[in-house]
Amino acid sequence: VSEGNDTAAPVVTILEAPEGWLAGDGVVVAQVSDACDVSPTVTVDPAPGDRVDEGELHTLTYSAENIYEVTVTGTDDNDNPARVQAPAFGIDTTAPRVSFDGLDAPEDPNDPSTWPSLFAGESISFRAKAEDRAGDANSGLARGEAVLTHIDEDTSRVLLDTAFAPNDGDPAVGPRRVKNMECADVVPPGGRTWCDDDGDLAVGPLPPGDFRLTLTAWDLAGNAASLDR
């Protein structure tokens, strides 16, 4: 094709692109070619944090927390443009926050003598809360889990395992905050529930000994945060 007769736009192809949420870098690889063997001018919106151009291949790396809809445009010497948009993706590197309402931390987590003592007939207020509101981009909560470990026996039981439904956005986003998650264990065959009718942790069914209660929440990007009591 001679330069004067060039009416065909370059060809832009997205060879690699992430989708959904990431807890680290997002890398988009685009190929921009032209039938007239002319190297097109390649522009990218939004601009990546790092860009490597090797012939027709262009590797674009994004690291900052944000939601990205990357558009790659190739324009030849006759101003014929072609543009392609990669799938939307988000970067969220900030972990959620978790807490137990009404369940205070011991004076010294490493000193069992400072841990609270509980007796049969008592219960532990079990109102777990998770939120994913910090950072410049929030993927939202994906799942919450609470595990009670019997330290003396090195055994544990899951008291809470809840998945949260994301919305239908692009990328989809989970809830920003979930409150009042209650104790709801799965009782093993022949066993007794460790949760009472109010969704609290009942002390009576527990074997004697020391216990650790761990709450963990994950966001859709895979970041996790845990809290021990």
Side-chain angles (χ1 to χ4, degrees):
V1 179
S2 67
E3 184 175 344
N5 296 326
D6 183 9
T7 60
V11 176
V12 179
T13 305
I14 303 296
L15 300 179
E16 178 184 330
E19 295 187 57
W21 285 94
L22 308 172
D25 291 351
V27 178
V28 176
V29 179
Q31 181 180 41
V32 183
S33 57
D34 189 273
C36 291
D37 295 327
V38 176
S39 297
T41 299
V42 178
T43 57
V44 181
D45 183 37
D50 183 69
R51 172 173 168 171
V52 178
D53 300 315
E54 297 177 315
E56 295 182 349
L57 296 181
H58 308 273
T59 302
L60 319 168
T61 302
Y62 296 85
S63 302
E65 289 193 327
N66 211 335
I67 293 177
Y68 294 94
E69 296 179 345
V70 178
T71 300
V72 179
T73 302
T75 306
D76 64 17
D77 290 346
N78 286 328
D79 292 330
N80 297 308
R83 60 180 54 87
V84 173
Q85 186 177 83
F89 66 93
I91 296 177
D92 177 2
T93 61
T94 305
R97 292 181 293 181
V98 292
S99 64
F100 284 110
D101 291 344
L103 189 57
D104 296 329
E107 182 178 325
D108 183 353
N110 297 314
D111 183 1
S113 67
T114 68
W115 299 355
S117 296
L118 299 169
F119 304 94
E122 294 186 280
S123 63
I124 299 175
S125 178
F126 189 104
R127 294 296 179 271
K129 180 171 66 176
E131 58 181 341
D132 188 39
R133 302 174 66 87
D136 294 324
N138 303 119
S139 58
L141 297 166
R143 181 170 159 255
E145 179 187 75
V147 176
L148 185 66
T149 300
H150 189 188
I151 298 173
D152 308 82
E153 302 293 337
D154 194 23
T155 59
S156 61
R157 182 187 291 191
V158 176
L159 300 183
L160 164 73
D161 188 356
T162 303
F164 311 117
N167 65 17
D168 56 358
D170 187 17
V173 175
R176 295 283 191 260
R177 177 184 295 173
V178 178
K179 300 189 297 182
N180 296 325
M181 291 183 287
E182 299 181 349
C183 183
D185 61 337
V186 178
V187 183
R192 298 173 59 188
T193 179
W194 289 1
C195 304
D196 64 21
D197 293 339
D198 295 323
D200 293 327
L201 175 60
V203 176
L206 302 181
D210 293 330
F211 291 84
R212 178 183 297 110
L213 181 60
T214 302
L215 173 65
T216 305
W218 293 263
D219 63 22
L220 284 173
N223 302 298
S226 293
L227 176 69
D228 288 335
R229 287 290 184 264

